[in-house]
Amino acid sequence: MNMVLPPLADPEIELAISYAPPTRRAGLRALWTLDAQLGATLRNASDPMVARLRLTWWYEALGRLDIAPAPRQPLLAALAADVLPQGVSGAALAGMTDGWEALLVPDPLGDDTLMAYAHGRGALFSLAAGLLGADPVATAVAKAGQGWALADLAAHVRDAQTAAQARARAEPLLAAAFERRWPVAMRPIGAVAVLARRDLGGKRAARGAPMRVLRMLRHRIIGR
């Protein structure tokens, strides 16, 4: 069953997806939709145990994509149709739940917990790189994904200490990710990370604001 997912709520990620070849956009949208779904699972759960159970459901459902046809669930069907054929396994997708599960502990989060979250959620960038035909284990991709995940957490977590720790961890990762020019194939994901780095520098503006769009366009053109 081939499913067409609706556009994402985040216009900047939709813009970044538009930088990719047309044959890869549906797969990228499915990956970002999965990230949004996992995040919503935590936000909408009544307590940590409920969130853990729901994340376990997603973990098992994603893993089964490797051995069975996708069920009639739009996101799982889209992942099976547009992501798995590009060499990304269901098991690799399931690993994204580990990052979100790391947050199911009381604030403030310790460094080990923060990095477990960053590795798990940030793996989205490596999965996207593989889908785009780029090097999924490139150091820049891994650091960009981890730095982006931490920067996003810092922007949304309520605990001030956790936010400060996340920013402190994110800054060197994102700086290292952009020491060199990014290959053209990887720029649809790099464009998201450059905005995370911009936000850490205090240059905040509404999502989709002209200066943010221009920053993404600059990265698309020059890869920095």
Side-chain angles (χ1 to χ4, degrees):
M1 180 176 61
N2 208 346
M3 298 295 299
V4 178
L5 295 174
L8 294 153
D10 190 326
E12 293 173 351
I13 295 179
E14 277 293 326
L15 178 59
I17 290 172
S18 75
Y19 294 165
T23 57
R24 296 294 184 267
R25 292 174 189 169
L28 287 177
R29 183 170 292 109
L31 287 176
W32 285 108
T33 301
L34 175 60
D35 177 72
Q37 175 62 61
L38 297 177
T41 297
L42 263 67
R43 288 192 302 273
N44 299 334
S46 56
D47 60 62
M49 181 58 71
V50 172
R52 196 178 302 276
L53 289 172
R54 292 177 180 173
L55 286 175
T56 298
W57 184 91
W58 278 103
Y59 178 87
E60 294 175 349
L62 292 164
R64 280 196 297 272
L65 294 178
D66 289 333
I67 59 175
R72 296 185 64 83
Q73 199 281 346
L75 177 52
L76 292 173
L79 290 165
D82 299 315
V83 177
L84 267 64
Q86 308 306 325
V88 177
S89 69
L93 295 171
M96 288 177 59
T97 65
D98 294 338
W100 288 103
E101 189 170 4
L103 298 182
L104 296 177
V105 297
D107 293 331
L109 303 181
D111 279 347
D112 289 345
T113 300
L114 281 174
M115 293 314 298
Y117 156 78
H119 281 280
R121 189 182 180 196
L124 168 64
F125 275 49
S126 295
L127 297 174
L131 187 147
L132 290 167
D135 183 1
V137 297
T139 300
V141 171
K143 290 184 176 180
Q146 294 163 25
W148 161 80
L150 289 165
D152 188 68
L153 178 66
H156 294 98
V157 71
R158 295 179 181 178
D159 182 74
Q161 182 177 337
T162 297
Q165 286 178 300
R167 281 193 295 270
R169 284 284 194 168
E171 287 171 354
L173 287 166
L174 288 169
F178 292 102
E179 287 178 347
R180 297 182 181 181
R181 190 183 305 273
W182 278 49
V184 172
M186 296 197 305
R187 292 178 192 176
I189 48 178
V192 178
V194 294
L195 288 183
R197 189 182 185 193
R198 185 181 190 276
D199 289 343
L200 286 177
K203 300 176 181 178
R204 296 190 176 277
R207 286 191 176 274
M211 291 305 297
R212 294 174 66 86
V213 172
L214 286 172
R215 183 64 186 92
M216 294 177 71
L217 180 60
R218 178 175 182 268
H219 177 76
R220 183 188 184 187
I221 295 171
I222 69 173
R224 297 293 291 268

